[in-house]
Structure formats: C-alpha cells, structure tokens
Amino acid sequence: MLKLRLFIFFMLLGFTFVNAQRLIKVTGTVFDMDAKPLQQVTITVMGQRESTLTDLNGTYTIYSRTTNFTLKYNLLGYQPMLIKINEKIAGRITREVTLSPNVNELEQVTITNKQNQLSNSSTINIADLSSLPSVSGNFETIIKTLPGVSTNNELSSQYSVRGGNFDENLTYLNDVEINRPILIRNGQQEGLSFINGDLVTRAKFSAGGFEARYGDKLSSVLDAKYDRPDSNQLIVNSGFLGASVALKKVQTNGFLMLGLRYKNNNSVLNTQDSKGNYRPNFGDAQLLYQYNFSDKFNLNFLGSLNGGRFNLIPEDRETLFGTLETQLRLKIAYNGQEIDDYRTLGGAATATFSPKPNLVIKWINSYFNTHERERFDIEGKYFFDELQTDFTKVGFKAISINRGLGTYLNYARNSLNSQSMSSEIKAEQNFGNHVFSWGLRAERNKFEDRLSEYHLTDSAGYILPNNAKKFYLEQAINISNTLAINNYTAFVQDSYSLSGNTDLQLGIRGNYNTLTEQLLLSPRLLLAFRPTSNNKIFRLTAGVYQQAPSYRSIRSYNGILNLNQKAQRSYNFSAGLDYAFDGLGTRLKFSSEAYFKYSDRLVPYIFDNVRIKYLSTQMAKGRTYGADFNIGGEFVKDLVSYFRLSIMSADQNVVGDSYVKKGQTIYPGYLKRPTDQRVNFSVFFQDRLLKEDSYKVHLTMLYGSKLPIGAPLSERYTDDFNIPSYKRVDIGFSRDFLDDNSLKKPKFLNRYFTSFITYLEVFNLLDINNTVSYLWLKDVDNVQYAIPNYLTGRQINFKLILKFKNHK
C-alpha cells in the first residue's frame, strides 16, 4: 500500500497544463569544404538544451524557444562554427553551413570521417541512457535494446550477441580493452560495470563484421569514449538504488573528469522468491586527466577503483509452479550465509603524438589487478508438495501429496587473483583517398586460482527407502592453479575510396600466445556503397575471427586446466542496409543485416545462471545464421524511439559426441547451442504527457524466446528442456523542471541548476515471473523436477538528476 501511495504521489507531483510552443524552426544541411554532406554533426542552441545530429544526407532540423539565439555546429576534426540568428517574428528559416578542417586537432578529420563511413557499427545515443528504466543501472542496459543482442537477466550486465556467449564480446574504453570478474555466478552478485555512463561522451557498438583494429574475440565490440567536455559540469544522480556524482572540468591545456558511483539494489532483490537479509554494496571511482603539452602532443591518464561486497543471509523461499491441473510448491528453510567480494584496481596512460596533420600515433600502457573471493556455506531444508487444485473440494490449495523432503548444502571457499598488463602502439595516417592504420600490442595475464567447493543433494533418493539412488557429492572441487599467458598481436588496415560512392576496407590481424603457440591470422573485409540518392548505404563484410584460449575457457567446471586447448575460429559473412527516409512526420532510419557464421573450432559450454562452465577438453563445430532489423527516429519531436527485431538460429556439433542405444552407437550431430534464442524483440519508446514538454514517459519492452537447457549430470543430447521466454516491461515517468521549452521555470532552481529532472520508474510493470535457471530435485518416485529460479518482481524506483550551473 505504501508503494502505491508513493506512486500516486509522485505521479501527481507538480503536474501542470502549461502548453509550450516553439518559436523558430531551423533546417539546413552541413557540408565539408568539398561540398560533401557531413553526418553526425552536433548542432546545439547555445543557452538552451536543444541539440540534434545531422543524418546521412547532412540535413538537420532544430528548434529554438527564442527569436534571438546562437547555433553551434561541432564535429570532431572540424573547426566549430557559431551562427547568430536574430528574427523579429516566429517562423521557419534555413541555414546551409560549411565546416572547415581543424589542422591542429589530434584526431584528424580525414581519418575520423573515413572510419565513420567504413565501420559496421551503430552509434549509441548517449542521451537516452539516463531516461532508460534500468534495474542494474549499468551502461550495458542500452546495449540490450540493440539489434542482434539477446538477454534474459535484468540483474546482469552480460549479453549474448548473435549466438555467442558474453566471453566472446569485446569492450573498449578510450582504446583500452576491459575485462570483467570471473567468479560471478548470478546477476545479484554483479556490481557496477566498468563504463561510467555519466562520463561517456560517445560510443558505438558492432554486432559482427568489425574491423581488424579490434581485438581477438568472435562476436561483438563495444567502443566507448570519455572525451573533452564542452564546459565545466557537476552532475548528481540519486535514487532508491544508488547514487553517483560526475565532475567535468575544462582547463586551458587539458581537462579533468571524475566519477563516483554507489549501488545498493537491496529493495529489488527482495522481490525474488528467496527472502533474507540482502546486503549488496558496490561502488567505484574513476579519474581521467589529460594535459596538452602542445597542439601535437598530449598525455592522458585513466585511473579506476571498482569493488563490491555481496552479503546474503537467506531465510526462506517459497516457489509455486506447474499447470492449472498440477500445481507444485517448494518451500525451503535456510541456514548459513553467502559473502562475495571483488576489487579491481588499475589504470592506463596514453601518449598521443601528431607530428603532422594527417598522422596520429598513440602509445597506450595499462595495468589492472582484480581480486575476487566467494564464500558461502548454506544449508536448505526443503519440502516439495503437490497442492489441491479442485476449488470445489475442501482444502483447496492445501497439500494433497508430499513429493519429497530433504536437505541440500552449498559450500565454497574460492579466490582468484588476476593481473593484466599491456603496452600498445598504433598509428593512423591519411594518404589521399587512403587511411592506413597499424598497431602492435604485447600483453601479459597472470592468474592465481584457489577452488574449494561442493554441492550436496540429500534428496529423496537418500532419505527415503523406496528409492535405490545413492548419496552423492556433486561437483566436489579442491584444486589450485597458477598460470601466466603472454599475448602478442598486430594489425594493419587500409580504408580507401574506390569511387565517389564506394569505399573498401581491407585488414589483417595476427596473434601469437605462449599457451597454444599458434600463429593466428585473421583477414577482414568491408565494402560500403552509397547510391547517388545518398540516403542509403549498402554494406558487405567478410572475415575470419579467432579467439585465443583464455583462463576462463581452459578451466573446466571441475577446475582442471586444459593446456592443450586451441583457439576458437569463426568465418563470418554479413550484408546490410541503412536507409533514411521521411515518414510519420519525421526522419526515420531503417537498418537491416543478414549474417552467417560458421565455426570449425568452438569450445562447448553450459550455463549455470550467468556463469559459463566450459567443457574445456571438448571441441565443436557451430553454425549461426539470422537477420536483424531496426527502425528508429523522433516519432515525438526531440525524443528518439526505436523498435528492433532479431531472428536467429545457432547450433553446434560436438566432435566425437556419441551414445549407445540398443547396442548401436548414435551420433546426435548438430544440436541447439545454449544461446539459441530464436526471436528477440525490443522497444524503447518515449512520449510527452499532458501536452506539456517537461513531462515525459519512457517505456522499455523486451522479449526473448525460450532457451535450451538440460538437467545437471545428464548427457548433452537429452537437453530437450527449455527456459521459458523472457518478457519484461519497464516504464519511467519524468519531469524536467528546467526544460528549455517551459515558459515558466522555478526561479530558485533556475538560479542554481541547468537541469533538474525527477524520475518515477516501475520495473517489471506486469510483474512477470521470468526464469533464469532451475533447481533440480527428485521426488519419491525418482522423477526429476525443475524448480524455476525466478528473477525480480515489480518494484518502484525514484531518482533525481541534477546538473549544476557553472558559477564563475
């Protein structure tokens, strides 16, 4: 009742019916010095918060609330341009703009422009991040709404791309490759991901067919940047699930960015079936400082401390499942506790040198140390019952049959210390129609691992006399490992124009590591064609992608290392289309891509919640094919919405996999991969409320079809069970008290803040029980049941985002 009252209170808080009307509409096109249209140019109304980007044709539309204002045009590699506009009356005007190259800027225009054109990736709208209703609060939430991405866990920042697992995804921050903790078992243990959304200025994501410049993984690339801010800023974000502070300071010869975050999602975790004392505490601090010694040379330092502690003292659990005719209930009384903690400390130093306008050289050095521990000793005494479902009889919903009772124990004392250090040099240079890139990288990874765990199931098979099954310890592990792996990589890449509307990119990547002692060569190609209509781009990609063994992939679920494992390899092909057109009263962009991936070397695995357990001694062949579709635009002015649909099939054939049936050896052949989620659909839609620009609604809908899964200790070919489809709706309501389009602004707030936004969010609006994994138990008749482990239920969240004015 209290939550309902809070919901109604915040919904009604401050609602007014002032109808704002824009005064000036500005349209136009932005060109370069050769009269070619420029895309992704940022146009801002100075002193207001109106901003927009040019489309594929270089065209733009922007509005102003006043008749006297200044427009700023900005694109990396070009000199910013200011245009003053002074109109006597409201109306529509046109401004055509030509930007000049900035020869003093380190990231040169020719290199940047060519990379934007020849990149099989999509630009992420950073402005949407704060408006996206999110339980985790991590940057990766927005990735889960993109084409080709699958997810079935709102608590986790992990995601699957086109049939791959999370370990096959690359993440970069300011050209530094980022890794995540290894011991995470479930989403509730995850804290804050490395990327701080408050500091990100631009980001792009590729679901496949990415360039040779990016590292050696099979599936995707997320490339985020912390860039120089436009002005001094102080941003505070606070809510029921945590808080953050971001400070951005511009200096004459550089800039500084500081981010602090804290997360405690205790209220969300308590909506699960397992009740208890949840104490999740996560936090991080990041510092980025850049000093420009001259127009040609600068030094950049990124430091990070990220850590967390998850403490759970479970009390009880009650889970109802089954059908209308057969309803089952599991009740568990717990004893014990779980304590997990991790800490990542590290940083990167980057020197950037541009001896001449068309050449950029970077030297990047990084070091990260991650220490992880998990300790749990939990006993669960359970009662497994079938309930009375006939409401005409006495005892409706009472116990009709006791299916079993027993005890299970989970114990672990595990720790892992991992160190990663690397040094990389890379260069980019423009030669006429060519942009040539190359890089060399050396990396050393060291792991110290201690595993001591077991799972005991004292099920009906042990405590009841009519079952012949014996008592057993499942997955008892006691082992220590120490390993160091050196990786040496290099790449060369050339992007050039075959004609005025056709571009080609050729590259090759080489990798050698001391574990496999393999020399891996990965050629890649990307062809882009833009017709004379200039509102379409056709892309064709082909390439070899190889992923050298990591500590995670060579370690089997029992802790034993397979030091003879070879690199995984995939042959990828894709064809895509980007099409910009006018429709529904706005400019829309439609994107589609069909792809096929064949892998002649894959390491098979199984999922245990979010943990990936590799079958490290086995090898498989795999096939993945599908298509992604996306359409987006400002269906409501200044509010971007998009809809996406992904269709995919992923299977694998484990080499040598067989079983004997009726005296004959059967080879099961190709079976579904654990990530074979055939259909994914997502919506992110924004609208205004009450005919007032300052009130908005933000809606996220996710659907992912069922996932294959099998019982533990069973043969792979019996994996004919499924996790049900994932269905989730999150909604948020916001009010910006200082919206540029509001005619009346609170004087006190307007004096101290540039933005004052309140959000009311409802997570899992429909209160759907989504399953993330199963607890497997047997009854008195030795029939095995899969008891679903449900994710979070409906929850209300309130947050406040403040942007302070810069008082000089």
Side-chain angles (χ1 to χ4, degrees), residues 446-506:
K446 185 177 180 180
F447 305 91
E448 296 177 0
D449 193 8
R450 176 74 177 93
L451 289 173
S452 177
E453 66 175 72
Y454 64 82
H455 174 70
L456 184 153
T457 301
D458 176 14
S459 189
Y462 175 68
I463 63 174
L464 298 178
N466 63 334
N467 194 314
K469 291 290 183 180
K470 296 182 179 180
F471 173 90
Y472 66 89
L473 273 178
E474 181 185 340
Q475 299 176 8
I477 306 170
N478 191 356
I479 195 169
S480 296
N481 297 313
T482 300
L483 182 67
I485 305 175
N486 296 332
N487 286 284
Y488 306 96
T489 59
F491 77 89
V492 292
Q493 179 176 296
D494 187 18
S495 306
Y496 58 95
S497 299
L498 297 176
S499 64
N501 52 8
T502 305
D503 296 303
L504 177 66
Q505 182 185 90
L506 295 173

Side-chain angles (χ1 to χ4, degrees), residues 50-65:
E50 286 282 347
S51 65
T52 188
L53 296 173
T54 57
D55 59 18
L56 296 175
N57 300 316
T59 61
Y60 69 93
T61 300
I62 196 167
Y63 296 85
S64 172
R65 286 288 300 145

Side-chain angles (χ1 to χ4, degrees), residues 152-153 156-159 165-167 180-190 338-342 372-376 411-416 449-455 475 477 479 551-553 555-559 604-615 674-675 709 723 772-773:
N152 70 329
N153 192 336
S156 175
S157 60
Q158 297 188 33
Y159 51 89
N165 64 46
F166 185 71
D167 291 344
R180 73 179 185 93
I182 293 177
L183 294 183
I184 298 295
R185 291 177 182 264
N186 53 63
Q188 63 189 19
Q189 298 172 342
E190 288 192 31
E338 174 182 355
I339 303 176
D340 308 306
D341 57 75
Y342 69 91
E372 308 170 58
R373 292 188 304 170
E374 57 176 2
R375 293 160 290 168
F376 52 81
Y411 172 91
R413 293 293 185 272
N414 301 329
S415 65
L416 174 64
D449 193 8
R450 176 74 177 93
L451 289 173
S452 177
E453 66 175 72
Y454 64 82
H455 174 70
Q475 299 176 8
I477 306 170
I479 195 169
Y551 182 75
R552 187 196 299 269
S553 69
R555 192 185 81 170
S556 66
Y557 60 86
N558 59 10
Y605 56 88
I606 58 175
F607 278 121
D608 180 8
N609 206 308
V610 301
R611 176 173 288 190
I612 302 170
K613 292 185 175 181
Y614 285 94
L615 309 178
T675 53
I709 194 173
I723 292 178
V772 66
S773 61

Side-chain angles (χ1 to χ4, degrees), residues 358-416:
N358 67 335
L359 174 63
V360 179
I361 302 173
K362 289 186 177 182
W363 184 27
I364 306 168
N365 298 276
S366 66
Y367 172 80
F368 291 95
N369 183 298
T370 300
H371 183 65
E372 308 170 58
R373 292 188 304 170
E374 57 176 2
R375 293 160 290 168
F376 52 81
D377 190 351
I378 297 177
E379 176 190 33
K381 297 181 180 179
Y382 67 85
F383 300 88
F384 185 30
D385 303 310
E386 183 176 333
L387 304 182
Q388 174 63 256
T389 57
D390 190 346
F391 66 91
T392 63
K393 295 183 178 180
V394 178
F396 176 60
K397 292 291 184 179
I399 298 174
S400 62
I401 302 174
N402 176 256
R403 289 288 180 183
L405 54 90
T407 301
Y408 72 85
L409 293 175
N410 286 329
Y411 172 91
R413 293 293 185 272
N414 301 329
S415 65
L416 174 64

Side-chain angles (χ1 to χ4, degrees), residues 321-336:
F321 64 104
T323 64
L324 291 176
E325 293 77 18
T326 304
Q327 292 192 14
L328 302 171
R329 182 183 67 189
L330 175 71
K331 297 188 70 173
I332 304 178
Y334 292 107
N335 185 30

Side-chain angles (χ1 to χ4, degrees), residues 1-13 15 240 731-733 760-763 765 794-798:
M1 181 60 70
L2 177 60
K3 293 181 179 179
L4 178 60
R5 290 175 180 173
L6 283 173
F7 179 82
I8 297 173
F9 173 75
F10 286 119
M11 281 288 290
L12 298 177
L13 179 65
F15 270 49
F240 291 164
I731 193 169
F733 303 91
L760 179 67
E761 300 172 323
V762 184
F763 303 135
L765 178 66
R794 184 188 295 120
Q795 178 69 21
I796 294 177
N797 181 49
F798 175 76

